[in-house]
Amino acid sequence: MEWGPLEPILSLLLPEEGVNDGIVDRKQTDTTLAHALSGEELTEAVRLASIDQLDTALSHEVLNVERLPLSVLLLLSAKATKWEHTNHQEESIHDQMKFLLQISQLLYQIPVALAAKEIKRVSVLANQYTKLAIDTQQSIKTIFPLQSFLRRFHQQGHAVLTPLHAHFFYLCLHAKCYFAAMEILDETLVEIQAQSHVVTSVDFLGYAYYGGLLYLGEKRYQDALDFFQLAITAPAVSLSAFVIEAYKKLLLVTLILHGEAVVMPKYTPFVVTRNVENHCTAYATLANAFVVEKDFAAVQEVATKNQELFIHDGNLGLVKQVVQAFKQRKLLQLTRTYATIELTKIATAAGMSNSDAVAAEKMLLTLISNGQMDAVIDKQKAMVRFVHENEDGGAYQDEVQGEASKRLQDEMKKLVVVASQLRVMDTELVTSAKFQSRLQKDKDRRSRIHMHNQQSDERLTVDAASGMDTLE
C-alpha cells in the first residue's frame, strides 16, 4: 500500500534508521515528528489520507509505541476520527480487529506521563475503543489493556478520575467480568482531571453508576450504596437517566442491607430531592410497605403487581432479594420476642403464611450458618432456642467488634491517602504562578485601600484642626 499524502512522514522516519537508537534520539525524533504532524502541511496530509494509508504508516517498523509514542497517538487519533465518520459495516472484521489491536498496544505501552499530558486524545481513543469492542463482541479482550493502563496511571500517583474509568467499567459490565474492575474501583480518587472539557457529567455519572453495578455483581452492597449515592448527589440542574436508575438501585439495596428508607444527604441537588421519586413510584411504594407498613403481604403484593416494570428496569433480582430480606428481618426480630419457639410457628410468627413453614425453617438455618443469628434447633422437640450474648460468652460481640475494627482500619488508610493527596494539591496551588499573581494583586489592592483610608483620616484630622483654629 502506498503512503500517498503521508509520504513526507516517511522522509522524517528514514534518518533514524541505522542511527544510534538511544532514548534521547527516540525522544528527539518523536518530538520532531509530532511537531510536524501538528503543522499545517502534515495536518492537511493526514486529513486527506485514507484509513489504509494511515495503517501503512502505523505499520512502519520505526513508528511503534515503544519508540515514538506521541506520534503513534496522533496518527491513531486521526484514524479514530476518520473511523467515526465511516460506515462500520463496510469495514471487514479484520480491519476492526486490527484497530482494536493498535489501540490495545498503545494502552499497554504508552508512558503514563505522556498519557496524562495528552489525556484528551487518549480519552477519545478509549471511547472509540469501547464502542468498537461492544459492536464486535470483543469486550472481554479489551478489558485488560484498559485495566493495565489505569493500574499504571494510579501507581504513578494519579488519583484522578478520567473518562477512561467509565469506559473500563462499562466494558467490564458488558463482558460480565466484574472481578477485573475491583482493583481499579477500590482505588481512592480525590480529584477530577483538571483539563477543561475532558471529564463530562456523563463520564462522572457513568463512573459512579457503573461502579455501583459492578459492586452489586460482587455482592459488595455497602460499596454499591456509596457509589449510587455518589451518582445522585452529583451537582445537577436537571434529572438524568443515570440519577433515576441509581436512585432505584440505591433504594432497593438500602432495603436489603439496612431495612430502612433512603435518606438523601443535605448536599443532594434540589432537583433530585424534589423530583426523583416521581419517576420511581413503584419503588417508593415497595419501600413504604417494607419500612412503614412492615407487612409481608403488602411487600409481596407490590413486587407482584409491578413485576413487568421491575423486569423492564432490570431490577427484578434485587426486588426478590428485598422480599427475602423482609422475611429474614422478620425472623431476626423473633429473638426480641421469644426465648424458645416451635418450628411450626416460625412462619406464622414471622408474618408469613403457614405454607412458608419449610422455607422459613431453611431461612432460619441459613441465618444461623451465616452468623446473623445465634440459635439452637432441637429436632426431637421441634423447638428453636435463641442464644443471647451472655450465653455464648460474648463471642458474637467479639466478632462484631473485630469486623468494626477492620473496617475502621481500612477507612483510616483511605483517609491517609486522601490527606497526603490534599497536601500535594495544596502545595501545588500555593506555589503556582497564577495563585502567587492573584495573591500579590490582592495584597496591592489591600495596600492601596489602606493608604487611601490613612489619607482620608489625615484629611479629617487636618480639617478638624483648621476648624478648631477658626473657632479660637
Side-chain angles (χ1 to χ4, degrees), residues 84 217 253 316 321 451 466:
E84 191 174 359
V253 177
L316 183 61
Q321 290 184 56
M451 290 179 61
S466 300

Side-chain angles (χ1 to χ4, degrees), residues 90-144:
E90 297 177 359
E91 302 292 337
S92 66
I93 188 66
H94 172 74
D95 293 333
Q96 293 173 341
M97 296 302 295
K98 185 176 183 179
F99 193 24
L100 285 176
L101 180 60
Q102 288 170 336
I103 301 178
S104 295
Q105 290 174 342
L106 179 76
L107 292 171
Y108 273 127
Q109 297 180 344
I110 187 171
V112 172
L114 173 61
K117 186 178 179 181
E118 298 289 339
I119 193 66
K120 192 169 185 177
R121 282 194 174 92
V122 176
S123 300
V124 172
L125 268 181
N127 182 41
Q128 193 68 47
Y129 187 61
T130 304
K131 290 180 181 178
L132 188 56
I134 300 297
D135 292 341
T136 57
Q137 299 296 316
Q138 297 294 323
S139 52
I140 190 68
K141 294 182 179 179
T142 55
I143 286 173
F144 296 102

Side-chain angles (χ1 to χ4, degrees), residues 404-414:
S405 177
K406 183 178 181 301
R407 184 169 183 182
L408 180 62
Q409 290 177 358
D410 293 339
E411 294 300 322
M412 288 297 292
K413 288 179 182 178
K414 291 181 181 179

Side-chain angles (χ1 to χ4, degrees), residues 234-265:
V237 293
S238 62
L239 283 179
S240 69
F242 276 119
V243 171
I244 294 171
E245 295 304 316
Y247 181 78
K248 291 175 181 177
K249 288 179 171 59
L250 177 67
L251 188 149
L252 294 174
V253 177
T254 303
L255 291 176
I256 294 169
L257 196 60
H258 302 299
E260 301 172 352
V262 173
V263 179
M264 296 190 197

Side-chain angles (χ1 to χ4, degrees), residues 9 12-13 26-40 42-43 63 68-75 114 118 121:
I9 295 178
L12 291 172
L13 294 175
R26 291 182 185 181
K27 287 185 177 180
Q28 182 62 40
T29 303
D30 193 22
T31 304
T32 303
L33 181 55
H35 182 72
L37 286 170
S38 302
E40 185 176 345
L42 280 186
T43 299
L63 201 57
L68 310 175
L70 180 56
S71 302
V72 172
L73 175 60
L74 293 175
L75 289 173
L114 173 61
E118 298 289 339
R121 282 194 174 92

Side-chain angles (χ1 to χ4, degrees), residues 9 21 30 57 67 80 101 114 145 164 185 196 200 216 239-240 248 272-273 304 337 406 434 472:
I9 295 178
D21 193 27
D30 193 22
R67 290 188 176 195
L101 180 60
L114 173 61
L164 280 78
L185 266 175
S196 60
T200 64
L216 274 185
L239 283 179
S240 69
K248 291 175 181 177
V272 176
T273 56
T304 305
T337 309
K406 183 178 181 301
K434 190 174 182 180
E472 291 176 359

Side-chain angles (χ1 to χ4, degrees), residues 120 163 193-200 203:
K120 192 169 185 177
Q193 177 56 240
Q195 293 183 26
S196 60
H197 307 298
V198 173
V199 178
T200 64
D203 295 324

